[in-house]
Amino acid sequence: MLEDKNNQRTPISQLGEFGLIEHLTKNIKLGQESTVKGIGDDAAVISRQADVVEVVTTDMLVEGVHFDLGYMPLKHLGYKAVIVNLSDVYAMNASPTQITVSLALSNRFPVEAVEELYEGILTACRIYGVDLVGGDTTSSQSGLIISVTALGEAKKDDLVYRNGAKENDLLVVSGDLGGAYLGLQVLERERQVFQVNPNSQPDLDAYTYLIERQLKPEARKDITELLEKLEVKPTAMIDISDGLSSEILHLCKQSGVGCVLYEDKIPLDPQVISTCEEFEMDSTTVALSGGEDYELLMTISMEDFPKIKANPDFTVLGHITEVAAGTQLITRAGQQMELIARGWNSIKED
Amino acid sequence: MLEDKNNQRTPISQLGEFGLIEHLTKNIKLGQESTVKGIGDDAAVISRQADVVEVVTTDMLVEGVHFDLGYMPLKHLGYKAVIVNLSDVYAMNASPTQITVSLALSNRFPVEAVEELYEGILTACRIYGVDLVGGDTTSSQSGLIISVTALGEAKKDDLVYRNGAKENDLLVVSGDLGGAYLGLQVLERERQVFQVNPNSQPDLDAYTYLIERQLKPEARKDITELLEKLEVKPTAMIDISDGLSSEILHLCKQSGVGCVLYEDKIPLDPQVISTCEEFEMDSTTVALSGGEDYELLMTISMEDFPKIKANPDFTVLGHITEVAAGTQLITRAGQQMELIARGWNSIKED
């Protein structure tokens, strides 16, 4: 975990809670105009322009449930903890502006480990132009828990909810699906190989895209910018954190509509296809249920189709139907099946 | 933990993450004008009036570090998790408006336990007029973790920071100190007695105030309202979560000032005095280092003294000095001692 840091292990108790926070946050630069006051008081202070509304979202990542430090470097974990929240902000067609981060850490984590985690958090803040304005750091009795809350803003009329999909709208997704889930399978397999033979040299060249999708996901800021440029306002939007099928069902339920999804339209990276073959997994199942892709799933009006059709960032997956028609998957063989939610569910028997 | 619920134990997995969230949040009523959209989309949406700024603060409570379910009922825990955040908002002289709540739960918690926790959370929301607008619910491998983020608002000129204390300002505190810490000592002792003799009937009449301070703290909304009514704007303010000495040191450090604190002015409830005698503890140490009182510590200009002097809600503890004079405690015997931070520190060797 710390091999590149000369194995320095400064116990957190040496700095104390306030010392640690000061140490981690002393170099934070605030860039958002709306941030009046960041870390250092009872609360941060934010001043919005009169013509915007604010969005707020929160996500918690728990060791052993959402990540395994056996293959998730702390810097990547910090980065990902921010990204999963920013993705929710973009899914409202809003721009993230501030985050707060709360950490619970057991005493097996030295100061150097928290520094790595913060390096990832602050890298994400820098790349996405977001201010870290507050947080809490405490001890835990066992694992590591990261709770991030993200604030963002948008003009009220620009917001896109989950409930606006209309009959005949097109069902559109950004990027490609299934990569993050397969990346996890590859990492899990490599770890098992390593446990059997610690001298094995993993050759991960065939999986670089998948591993990056798992360890260093990005939030689709570019897609919301592109939509603005193309003058397309989706009728509904949601980010894909739990898998395509689960998100389609949310969107259809909240919009009171049905949909038809065509299996042969689901965008898959070549590495997803080849790795599914190698792992003897069905690529459609992986895309439908895998989750953690952080792509944006949206519905757009038919009249906006010409604006997106030539764009490789968008794939039309199907269309919205009346609610009575249900949520249907049309397979490559032309068979019709009811979509079911098999998204990755973090509430499970453990 | 659940004796009043006929020991019903519905496993959370029976509902799943989305089912659980829907179950817990279906009856939530939104009361804040600023809340445009609560739970149910990728993010909540908030619209502020043009003349206000927003404050944001976050706190995480971890089982075994901040609470022990051996004596903390889940409903009280939910209430307290909200209160500790609202207290930070009031410490900015702002009004809380929305919260988000993230929970990590191990599978030893049935649905009924989460319902109790939410009952406490929603009771606090109702009493303080705050909307629950978002959250995350996930599993944990061991204990219970609650992360709350609170949003509030104030006119920009009404905000009170920690850094505005000036030489000759009065150091003032609301309420009384040390009760919450002693409440914890009483509960801890009773538990030990109970472990030795499960038939013992605890007589807690002499400690009711202390136990209430520990199990059901309140945030001093009334104090910020009173300050407004009295037309007193503190020059600096902070809430007492870690103990009086630690908060005084924060306030003085950020304001670049020193202070004199008179031991004989520290407000103590009669139960604090009698219980300190019984436990052979020094009541000043308990007030200085106990923490969790959630009173407001503030500095006010000398010219505002007439407005507060007759009010039993305020106690003048001392005054602000130049920084070179340090932060001094004048004991009952007239001795001068340097104040040191011995606040309750949640980052410790465990």
Side-chain angles (χ1 to χ4, degrees):
Chain A
M1 187 157 81
L2 288 165
E3 52 277 26
D4 52 345
K5 295 253 174 177
N6 298 320
N7 279 320
Q8 259 191 286
R9 292 184 65 88
T10 312
I12 287 174
S13 54
Q14 197 175 306
L15 294 178
E17 180 184 352
F18 300 120
L20 177 67
I21 293 171
E22 199 169 309
H23 174 71
L24 293 170
T25 61
K26 63 176 185 261
N27 294 322
I28 288 181
K29 286 182 187 62
L30 300 174
Q32 283 284 338
E33 212 179 313
S34 55
T35 308
V36 178
K37 166 88 189 171
I39 288 166
D41 215 297
D42 293 286
V45 180
I46 293 158
S47 177
R48 302 271 170 218
Q49 298 293 320
D51 60 342
V52 300
V53 292
E54 183 175 86
V55 299
V56 51
T57 181
T58 189
D59 260 304
M60 194 184 249
L61 300 186
V62 178
E63 184 175 356
V65 178
H66 300 93
F67 59 89
D68 184 324
L69 293 174
Y71 40 71
M72 181 59 124
L74 282 161
K75 190 176 161 181
H76 287 74
L77 176 63
Y79 191 86
K80 186 169 178 175
V82 177
I83 293 303
V84 303
N85 279 279
L86 302 189
S87 180
D88 279 319
V89 174
Y90 293 120
M92 300 297 291
N93 204 30
S95 300
T97 49
Q98 287 89 10
I99 60 165
T100 64
V101 176
S102 289
L103 297 177
L105 300 150
S106 69
N107 66 357
R108 76 182 156 96
F109 293 96
V111 171
E112 289 75 13
V114 194
E115 283 172 349
E116 278 201 50
L117 191 65
Y118 254 75
E119 212 179 307
I121 290 167
L122 292 173
T123 300
C125 285
R126 203 173 55 244
I127 290 174
Y128 287 85
V130 169
D131 289 345
L132 176 62
V133 297
D136 190 18
T137 305
T138 182
S139 57
S140 93
Q141 291 203 314
S142 50
L144 170 63
I145 293 112
I146 311 179
S147 176
V148 176
T149 299
L151 302 176
E153 61 184 32
K155 290 189 177 142
K156 195 171 180 183
D157 290 341
D158 288 344
L159 284 181
V160 176
Y161 293 92
R162 293 178 178 177
N163 64 4
K166 300 272 181 302
E167 212 179 322
N168 297 321
D169 282 353
L170 297 173
L171 186 69
V172 176
V173 72
S174 65
D176 53 69
L177 300 173
Y181 176 80
L182 283 177
L184 185 62
Q185 306 313 308
V186 170
L187 289 165
E188 187 59 51
R189 184 181 65 177
E190 289 309 314
R191 190 171 61 155
Q192 284 167 14
V193 169
F194 180 80
Q195 279 167 348
V196 174
N197 175 11
N199 294 318
S200 70
Q201 291 290 325
D203 179 6
L204 298 174
D205 283 356
Y207 315 108
T208 48
Y209 177 70
L210 309 181
I211 291 168
E212 188 165 324
R213 292 287 277 178
Q214 172 58 226
L215 295 185
K216 195 169 173 291
E218 300 292 348
R220 298 305 308 256
K221 179 185 189 180
D222 58 327
I223 293 294
T224 57
E225 289 167 353
L226 184 57
L227 287 167
E228 194 187 357
K229 200 177 123 195
L230 297 172
E231 296 179 0
V232 174
K233 185 188 170 190
T235 54
M237 189 151 62
I238 188 170
D239 75 319
I240 300 184
S241 50
D242 292 321
L244 179 62
S245 62
S246 168
E247 313 304 354
I248 288 178
L249 290 170
H250 281 308
L251 199 149
C252 287
K253 185 180 171 191
Q254 294 212 18
S255 295
V257 295
C259 83
V260 174
L261 166 70
Y262 293 91
E263 183 182 16
D264 64 353
K265 302 292 186 193
I266 296 173
L268 302 171
D269 185 84
Q271 283 193 5
V272 168
I273 296 167
S274 61
T275 307
C276 276
E277 279 169 16
E278 184 189 341
F279 279 66
E280 295 182 350
M281 286 173 146
D282 175 45
S283 60
T284 302
T285 306
V286 165
L288 286 174
S289 308
E292 294 199 277
D293 289 315
Y294 302 107
E295 295 295 341
L296 294 173
L297 176 73
M298 65 199 89
T299 53
I300 68 162
S301 169
M302 274 290 280
E303 68 197 36
D304 284 331
F305 177 60
K307 297 180 189 167
I308 65 142
K309 73 174 174 181
N311 201 306
D313 285 311
F314 298 107
T315 304
V316 178
L317 299 171
H319 61 271
I320 298 300
T321 61
E322 56 171 352
V323 67
T327 47
Q328 308 295 336
L329 173 71
I330 310 293
T331 67
R332 286 193 191 90
Q335 215 182 348
Q336 182 168 314
M337 295 170 58
E338 182 80 19
L339 259 191
I340 53 164
R342 282 179 306 193
W344 184 83
N345 193 331
S346 69
I347 296 279
K348 60 192 169 194
E349 295 290 318
D350 49 1
Chain B
M1 185 158 83
L2 288 165
E3 50 278 23
D4 54 345
K5 295 255 176 179
N6 299 319
N7 279 320
Q8 258 190 286
R9 292 184 63 87
T10 312
I12 288 175
S13 54
Q14 197 175 304
L15 295 178
E17 180 183 352
F18 300 120
L20 178 67
I21 293 171
E22 199 169 309
H23 173 70
L24 295 170
T25 61
K26 62 175 184 262
N27 293 322
I28 288 180
K29 288 181 185 62
L30 300 174
Q32 283 284 338
E33 212 180 311
S34 54
T35 308
V36 178
K37 166 86 188 173
I39 289 166
D41 216 297
D42 293 287
V45 180
I46 292 159
S47 176
R48 302 270 170 218
Q49 299 293 320
D51 60 340
V52 301
V53 292
E54 183 175 86
V55 299
V56 53
T57 180
T58 189
D59 260 305
M60 192 184 250
L61 300 186
V62 178
E63 184 176 355
V65 178
H66 300 93
F67 60 89
D68 184 323
L69 293 175
Y71 40 70
M72 182 55 126
L74 282 162
K75 191 176 161 180
H76 287 73
L77 176 63
Y79 192 87
K80 185 169 177 173
V82 177
I83 293 302
V84 303
N85 280 279
L86 302 189
S87 181
D88 280 318
V89 173
Y90 293 120
M92 299 298 290
N93 205 30
S95 299
T97 49
Q98 287 89 9
I99 59 164
T100 64
V101 176
S102 290
L103 299 176
L105 301 150
S106 68
N107 64 358
R108 76 183 156 95
F109 293 97
V111 171
E112 289 74 15
V114 194
E115 283 172 349
E116 278 201 48
L117 191 65
Y118 253 74
E119 214 178 307
I121 290 167
L122 292 174
T123 300
C125 285
R126 203 173 55 244
I127 289 176
Y128 287 85
V130 169
D131 290 344
L132 175 63
V133 297
D136 191 18
T137 305
T138 182
S139 58
S140 93
Q141 291 203 314
S142 50
L144 170 63
I145 293 112
I146 312 180
S147 176
V148 176
T149 299
L151 302 176
E153 60 184 34
K155 289 191 177 141
K156 194 170 180 184
D157 289 342
D158 288 344
L159 284 181
V160 177
Y161 293 91
R162 294 178 178 176
N163 64 4
K166 299 271 180 300
E167 210 179 325
N168 298 321
D169 283 352
L170 297 173
L171 187 67
V172 176
V173 73
S174 65
D176 53 69
L177 300 173
Y181 176 80
L182 283 176
L184 186 62
Q185 305 312 309
V186 170
L187 289 165
E188 186 60 50
R189 184 181 63 177
E190 288 309 314
R191 189 171 63 156
Q192 285 168 14
V193 169
F194 180 81
Q195 279 167 349
V196 173
N197 175 13
N199 295 317
S200 69
Q201 290 291 328
D203 179 6
L204 298 174
D205 283 355
Y207 315 108
T208 48
Y209 177 70
L210 309 180
I211 291 168
E212 188 166 323
R213 292 287 278 179
Q214 172 58 225
L215 293 186
K216 196 171 172 293
E218 300 292 349
R220 300 303 309 254
K221 179 186 189 179
D222 58 328
I223 293 294
T224 57
E225 288 168 353
L226 185 57
L227 287 167
E228 193 186 356
K229 199 177 124 197
L230 297 172
E231 297 180 0
V232 174
K233 184 188 169 188
T235 54
M237 190 152 62
I238 187 170
D239 76 319
I240 300 184
S241 51
D242 292 321
L244 179 62
S245 62
S246 168
E247 312 303 355
I248 287 179
L249 291 170
H250 280 308
L251 198 148
C252 286
K253 187 180 170 192
Q254 292 211 19
S255 295
V257 296
C259 83
V260 174
L261 166 71
Y262 293 93
E263 183 183 16
D264 63 356
K265 302 292 187 192
I266 297 172
L268 303 172
D269 184 84
Q271 283 193 5
V272 168
I273 295 167
S274 61
T275 307
C276 275
E277 279 168 15
E278 184 190 341
F279 279 68
E280 295 182 350
M281 286 173 145
D282 175 46
S283 60
T284 302
T285 305
V286 165
L288 286 174
S289 307
E292 294 199 276
D293 289 315
Y294 302 108
E295 295 295 342
L296 293 174
L297 176 73
M298 64 199 88
T299 53
I300 68 162
S301 169
M302 274 291 279
E303 68 198 36
D304 284 331
F305 177 60
K307 299 180 190 167
I308 65 144
K309 75 173 174 182
N311 200 305
D313 286 312
F314 298 107
T315 305
V316 178
L317 298 172
H319 60 271
I320 298 300
T321 61
E322 57 170 351
V323 67
T327 47
Q328 307 296 336
L329 173 72
I330 310 293
T331 67
R332 287 192 191 90
Q335 212 181 349
Q336 181 167 316
M337 294 170 59
E338 183 80 20
L339 261 190
I340 52 163
R342 281 178 306 193
W344 184 82
N345 194 332
S346 70
I347 294 280
K348 60 195 169 194
E349 295 291 317
D350 48 2

